[in-house]
Amino acid sequence: MTVIAKRNAVKPDYLYGFLVVTFLLFAIRDGLTGSIRYFFTIFHIDMLWFVPDFLALISFGIFFYQQFFVKRNIFGIYLVIIFIFSLFVSVLFMNKTFFPFFSSIKMFVPMFVGFCFYDRSITEWRSVRIILAVVFIASAIGLILNPYIEYPWLGQTINSFGLERQATKLWWQEGGVRYGGLAGDSTMAAYMTIFTYFLISFRMSLILNIICWPLVIWAVLVSTSKTALGLFGVYIIIYLIAYFMNDRDRIIRFFRLNARLSYIAILVPPFLMIALRGYDLGSISSSLFSLSDRINNTWPLPFFVISDIFPVGLLVGCGIGCYVYPMEYTDLAYLMSPVDNFYISTYIQMGVPYLIFVLIQFFCIKFSRDPIKLVLILLLNIYTTTIQCYGPSYATLLLGYAFSEMFAHEWRRSRVANSKGRSQSLMPTSAAITLRVKPR
């Protein structure tokens, strides 16, 4: 009996350690994309770039096994089924060869890495918090120094299986340089700065957080990402309210309420398309050019195309990979247009089944007790209004991480194994996360 207990005690940490390594590799790779790509090319070790993606495929296998055979969680089973079904639909719609099909899987599976943390936190181990802090500081400093230092990867052209992408681009609206820092892309660099900070913020004291705020604001201003800057302002307000609440249960209730309210942001794009489509907001202010382009072009265009050439796609979607970068590898690349919204993009790929899944997500918020994940739900629902989040992979991963707690619940008629003291999961329930609230 003792041997069995020891074996069950070791397995969860071993599995959790694998998931932590995968998570951190994505964070480091995407936070330092420009520099890593540059040095990988110099030393001819480009294939190492795909190591995190390979580990993500293993994580999908872990999620599949846990949800089907251990937890028997109906939500996890449903998600896997609609994912596989959407892969099948993508073959019908885009007539994919092997590489575009694999690219679609590679694009989506980082989300399952995040889902695997359904009853654990990524910041449990101090060593992990230190690594995330280093990634955060490197991302911020890399942006701040960028106007004064010309990084060797500036303007670097990355060839990815026949598609070329440039590490730094111009802002089409005003022709100004968008500094990309160590990531090589301004939006990615801003995302890595703020969201990596969000992960570790609640583990730090108020004083240390206040010290970090000017660093974050400066870095985001250099990136020119107005979305990231506004989101950081929202986070500061949420953080301060929670800090002075001084009661964990009240804080959790407050975070749950805000997470639920954030779903209003999902309805904003459809409302704007109905109310303002055809109207030129750019005539009011040049800062509204980007929003006007989304309302009139990038958000609605895929729906018109699909209704013409694949009408059933309006219900079942056009499959994983359509209207995101894997589509560029197919014969339908000429129909490709960016969809700068995560929920619209995912609906286009998965159809009504995903809409049902979003409703399940909303109702499962009542199960969540992890304050960081609840705050991430709030922030990501706002952020994804104008950002697709299927690149970098770290962004896709964090979306899975934020909603992961809905997969922690077991749906069984019998709990005989529990009553006998046997472990029913390879991953134990995490210890309560320490909130640095105001001392009594």
Side-chain angles (χ1 to χ4, degrees):
M1 193 70 171
T2 305
V3 174
I4 294 174
K6 285 183 179 179
R7 183 180 63 191
N8 287 335
V10 172
K11 259 189 176 180
D13 279 340
Y14 181 77
L15 178 58
Y16 174 68
F18 169 81
L19 294 170
V20 166
V21 169
T22 305
F23 190 109
L24 291 178
L25 285 178
F26 274 111
I28 294 169
R29 187 190 74 173
D30 294 338
L32 310 176
T33 294
S35 53
I36 289 178
R37 279 279 197 179
Y38 176 76
F39 288 110
F40 276 10
T41 301
I42 289 177
F43 294 106
H44 304 289
I45 52 175
D46 299 81
M47 291 307 296
L48 291 180
W49 176 264
F50 299 102
V51 169
D53 300 301
F54 174 73
L55 298 181
L57 287 171
I58 298 175
S59 299
F60 172 73
I62 292 171
F63 182 82
F64 178 91
Y65 173 77
Q66 288 278 298
Q67 297 301 301
F68 275 76
F69 302 108
V70 180
K71 292 292 184 183
R72 298 184 187 176
N73 183 295
I74 56 175
F75 305 145
I77 293 171
Y78 175 71
L79 176 63
V80 171
I81 290 173
I82 64 173
F83 170 63
I84 294 173
F85 175 74
S86 295
L87 286 173
F88 172 73
V89 173
S90 71
V91 174
L92 297 179
F93 176 70
M94 291 189 285
N95 191 25
K96 291 183 177 180
T97 57
F98 173 77
F99 177 73
F101 183 75
F102 176 76
S103 181
S104 298
I105 296 174
K106 185 178 80 70
M107 176 203 73
F108 202 88
V109 290
M111 198 178 297
F112 286 98
V113 177
F115 288 147
C116 285
F117 285 88
Y118 49 77
D119 52 5
R120 299 294 292 262
S121 165
I122 186 59
T123 55
E124 288 178 29
W125 294 347
R126 184 171 180 270
S127 57
V128 173
R129 297 197 295 272
I130 292 173
I131 293 172
L132 289 173
V134 171
V135 173
F136 154 62
I137 293 171
S139 298
I141 297 299
L143 275 170
I144 291 170
L145 295 179
N146 205 167
Y148 312 103
I149 300 175
E150 185 172 322
Y151 297 133
W153 52 88
L154 178 66
Q156 171 187 212
T157 298
I158 300 169
N159 189 301
S160 181
F161 299 96
L163 288 181
E164 291 189 348
R165 294 184 175 89
Q166 197 172 26
T168 304
K169 59 186 178 182
L170 293 180
W171 188 11
W172 65 268
Q173 181 177 309
E174 296 178 358
V177 175
R178 302 191 70 176
Y179 293 104
L182 300 181
D185 177 87
S186 58
T187 302
M188 186 188 301
Y191 181 92
M192 294 302 303
T193 299
I194 62 172
F195 276 95
T196 306
Y197 165 75
F198 294 155
L199 284 176
I200 60 176
S201 172
F202 278 111
R203 295 283 194 169
M204 303 189 303
S205 66
L206 175 63
I207 298 300
L208 191 54
N209 272 283
I210 292 175
I211 291 172
C212 287
W213 292 348
L215 181 70
V216 176
I217 293 171
W218 188 359
V220 173
L221 284 172
V222 171
S223 76
T224 72
S225 176
K226 293 192 285 293
T227 303
L229 186 62
L231 195 70
F232 185 67
V234 171
Y235 178 78
I236 290 177
I237 295 171
I238 293 294
Y239 174 86
L240 290 175
I241 292 174
Y243 180 83
F244 288 104
M245 275 186 174
N246 197 28
D247 180 88
R248 181 183 173 85
D249 289 335
R250 287 181 63 200
I251 291 171
I252 296 298
R253 290 196 297 270
F254 172 67
F255 285 168
R256 281 179 182 162
L257 174 62
N258 282 280
R260 291 190 181 103
L261 290 175
S262 70
Y263 277 78
I264 296 173
I266 299 175
L267 303 176
V268 171
F271 171 78
L272 291 177
M273 284 190 286
I274 294 171
L276 298 176
R277 179 164 166 76
Y279 189 79
D280 183 15
L281 296 177
S283 62
I284 300 174
S285 170
S286 61
S287 62
L288 296 176
F289 274 134
S290 181
L291 179 61
S292 182
D293 182 60
R294 287 179 171 91
I295 294 171
N296 292 300
N297 298 304
T298 63
W299 288 341
L301 183 60
F303 292 100
F304 290 118
V305 175
I306 292 171
S307 65
D308 286 339
I309 65 176
F310 192 62
V312 71
L314 294 175
L315 293 177
V316 301
C318 56
I320 299 295
C322 73
Y323 285 97
V324 278
Y325 68 83
M327 189 174 178
E328 297 178 16
Y329 296 104
T330 71
D331 294 338
L332 298 182
Y334 70 98
L335 296 174
M336 177 64 183
S337 63
V339 183
D340 297 320
N341 179 286
F342 171 77
Y343 284 98
I344 292 177
S345 176
T346 310
Y347 178 84
I348 289 169
Q349 295 177 80
M350 305 182 80
V352 173
Y354 179 70
L355 184 62
I356 296 171
F357 184 73
V358 172
L359 293 175
I360 294 172
Q361 283 181 339
F362 176 81
F363 288 110
C364 281
I365 287 175
K366 65 182 179 182
F367 296 134
S368 183
R369 287 197 57 81
D370 188 320
I372 296 175
K373 291 177 182 178
L374 284 167
V375 171
L376 284 176
I377 291 173
L378 162 67
L379 298 174
L380 284 167
N381 279 344
I382 297 172
Y383 186 78
T384 55
T385 302
T386 58
I387 305 294
Q388 190 178 76
C389 273
Y390 281 111
S393 298
Y394 182 69
T396 315
L397 188 158
L398 276 189
L399 279 159
Y401 181 74
F403 293 103
S404 60
E405 285 189 284
M406 65 187 291
F407 303 113
H409 303 280
E410 299 180 21
W411 302 83
R412 295 182 176 188
R413 294 182 180 179
S414 173
R415 297 295 185 94
V416 177
N418 254 355
S419 65
K420 291 182 178 180
R422 294 171 57 189
S423 173
Q424 295 204 31
S425 172
L426 292 179
M427 298 182 66
T429 302
S430 62
I433 292 177
T434 303
L435 278 175
R436 292 297 187 94
V437 296
K438 182 174 178 289
R440 294 183 182 277

